[in-house]
Amino acid sequence: MNSFRADLHTHTFLSPCGDIGMVPSFIVETALRKGYDIIGITDHNSTVQAREIRRIVGDGEPYILCGAEVTTREEAHCLVFADTEDDLDALQGFIDDSLPHVPNDEEVFGYQLAVNEAEEVIYEAPWLLISAIDRSIEEVAAFAASIGGLFIPAHVDKPQNSVISQLGFIPGDLPYDALEVSARCDVERFLDCNPYLRKRNPVLVRSSDAHYPEDFCRAVTYFDMPRRTFNEIRKALHLEEGRSVRID
């Protein structure tokens, strides 16, 4: 098995709260310099910049995992990843059909721009991307499964916009592939505060949730698997066929 360093939760300039420095060249160059092999691009309710970064990287380094940080009806943040362009189109359509048509106020929330490798604007999102979509967390999880995607409730240890902060607990029947903890989470303390999770023994990933350059790749999850593919990442999250996931 090979051990791959990953950060699965990264925002770009497309997210209204994303810094202007979070552009493709910075993300790719910094990931390589810091020795990261897998980067998840997860803008709020949009897959546009993720796919552009994957196009730029091609078969090169690092491996780009495309998805979005979806805000559910309960205001819970969840990472949803999809593999193929068709599946990403389906994910974007699911989001677009459920996203309120609230115009973005750039002076209040910031710009929502996707750029290419030359930092030329290729897309501007018209509706405020940080809005909650009109779908429950169960519906988002079910949709992710229907397209063969990955569903990971985000920063479950945080006191805002997490499944626990919004619902009070993580439902036992919620079908997730892993749970994400934040960069500074004390995992043992978190599990002590949520003892029911110890019994479930979920797979945990740790991510940076970077919105600013200084936060990018400040957390790491190790994927032990033969190669970097979407299916191998899924197998590692499910601890299948000797694959595994580790955090510090």
Side-chain angles (χ1 to χ4, degrees):
M1 293 291 176
N2 297 308
S3 183
F4 298 105
R5 291 165 57 87
D7 187 349
L8 301 186
H9 192 165
T10 304
H11 293 269
T12 76
F13 188 34
L14 177 57
S15 292
C17 42
D19 186 78
I20 193 172
M22 296 297 286
V23 294
S25 59
F26 169 81
I27 290 170
V28 172
E29 292 168 8
T30 303
L32 294 178
R33 176 171 54 82
K34 292 189 173 185
Y36 279 71
D37 306 291
I38 302 169
I39 297 296
I41 306 298
T42 51
D43 284 303
H44 288 290
N45 289 326
S46 179
T47 64
V48 173
Q49 187 69 86
R51 288 195 268 183
E52 176 63 12
I53 294 176
R54 186 167 75 175
R55 185 197 66 78
I56 293 168
V57 172
D59 294 328
E61 302 285 342
Y63 179 87
I64 302 299
L65 187 62
C66 293
E69 183 173 26
V70 179
T71 303
T72 72
R73 183 185 296 143
E74 301 90 348
E75 299 279 353
H77 290 180
C78 300
L79 305 181
V80 180
F81 297 100
D83 187 16
T84 69
E85 285 298 311
D86 285 346
D87 290 339
L88 286 163
D89 282 342
L91 172 57
Q92 191 62 63
F94 174 81
I95 294 170
D96 290 344
D97 288 346
S98 311
L99 185 70
H101 286 188
V102 177
N104 179 40
D105 186 334
E106 296 171 352
E107 293 186 0
V108 175
F109 298 107
Y111 292 99
Q112 298 185 150
L113 304 175
V115 300
N116 60 19
E117 59 266 50
E119 298 184 19
E120 300 166 330
V121 175
I122 60 171
Y123 173 75
E124 180 173 8
W127 312 122
L128 182 63
L129 293 177
I130 58 173
S131 299
I133 68 171
D134 189 22
R135 292 290 184 270
S136 70
I137 190 169
E138 291 84 5
E139 289 176 300
V140 174
F143 177 81
S146 76
I147 61 170
L150 299 174
F151 176 78
I152 303 176
H155 43 67
V156 294
D157 56 300
K158 286 192 172 181
Q160 63 281 324
N161 296 120
S162 69
V163 178
I164 295 175
S165 73
Q166 301 309 108
L167 301 182
F169 64 102
I170 298 176
D173 59 351
L174 184 66
Y176 50 79
D177 295 282
L179 299 177
E180 182 198 61
V181 295
S182 61
R184 296 186 177 91
C185 175
D186 182 328
V187 173
E188 289 303 312
R189 181 177 180 183
F190 169 68
L191 293 175
D192 285 343
C193 292
N194 298 276
Y196 66 95
L197 290 178
R198 283 195 184 276
K199 296 180 181 179
R200 298 180 192 172
N201 195 29
V203 169
L204 301 178
V205 298
R206 189 190 297 274
S207 309
S208 68
D209 189 12
H211 291 71
Y212 298 89
E214 59 267 27
D215 294 328
F216 182 53
C217 289
R218 65 173 177 167
V220 62
T221 299
Y222 298 92
F223 282 80
D224 297 321
M225 55 193 184
R227 65 193 67 84
R228 291 167 295 176
T229 67
F230 194 89
N231 192 46
E232 285 291 338
I233 290 171
R234 182 199 309 282
K235 286 183 178 181
L237 291 173
H238 292 189
L239 309 180
E240 295 177 349
E241 300 175 15
R243 281 77 168 166
S244 60
V245 172
R246 296 175 288 119
I247 62 174
D248 293 330

